[in-house]
Amino acid sequence: MAADQALPRSSPSQSTVPKHLNSFREISSIPRTTTPSSSRQQQQQKQHPANAEQETGRSAITGNWIYPSEEMFFAAMRRKAYDPKTEDMKVIVPIHNAVNERAWKEIREWERGRGAERCGGPRLHSFSGNSQALSPKARMNTLLGYTAPFDRHDWVVDRCGSRLEYVIDFYAGKKDAEGKMLSFYLDVRPKLNSWEGVKMRVGRALGSFVGR
């Protein structure tokens, strides 16, 4: 991953964003489709941005998703009525990027051998986030007494023209002596809203059982 030098710096409202925040944006390892999201998907992202998870474009150089800059992340948090600290952006933004990279790595594991290799591998088509909406699995686990995830993303993955939806639940890990988060746990899996998603989930569950 590298800073996208070909792109202009991000330019959120200067009246709300401190000038010393970094405006450079990092290119992810996550390839995007070239097909634009539908107007309905774009509207859903505007209604339910998770952290800074708004559409931030694809690199003209690599075709990969471009992560938001410190400026963009700060502005997004302020729009959601949080009280972001400028000094925290240098920590939060790299964590945000690393978590998304980890999510994509797990999606690629799910997609391995499913046919996307013939067209260069799976690609991220669209994404949205809503920390207030529990997935069915997270809701069930919460009812059983487990800790609820602190965020949820819904990603649509393109597999050579066919689309498959994934849900990602984000759980907090251990904290250090100062109360800062040390790790995260991601529960990444295909949704059960398609026959393909059902087959993948059942296949992995059976494989785990047989492998014991």
Side-chain angles (χ1 to χ4, degrees), residues 21-72:
L21 283 173
N22 199 327
S23 60
F24 286 107
R25 300 166 61 191
E26 185 179 16
I27 302 176
S28 75
S29 69
I30 304 173
R32 297 297 306 272
T33 58
T34 56
T35 305
S37 301
S38 68
S39 57
R40 179 181 178 185
Q41 289 171 328
Q42 293 172 354
Q43 183 62 30
Q44 287 175 338
Q45 288 184 0
K46 290 179 181 178
Q47 291 174 344
H48 301 300
N51 299 326
E53 298 308 324
Q54 299 181 55
E55 183 57 69
T56 51
R58 60 193 293 272
S59 169
I61 300 172
T62 66
N64 290 3
W65 180 18
I66 310 167
Y67 291 131
S69 66
E70 291 177 9
E71 285 183 346
M72 296 171 72

Side-chain angles (χ1 to χ4, degrees), residues 68-80:
S69 66
E70 291 177 9
E71 285 183 346
M72 296 171 72
F73 207 100
F74 184 94
M77 291 185 71
R78 181 163 284 183
R79 281 196 304 271
K80 293 191 69 179

Side-chain angles (χ1 to χ4, degrees), residues 185-201:
Y185 168 70
L186 276 60
D187 188 1
V188 182
R189 69 259 185 216
K191 289 187 179 180
L192 296 175
N193 60 353
S194 68
W195 177 235
E196 178 66 9
V198 171
K199 287 193 298 182
M200 292 170 70
R201 294 271 291 271

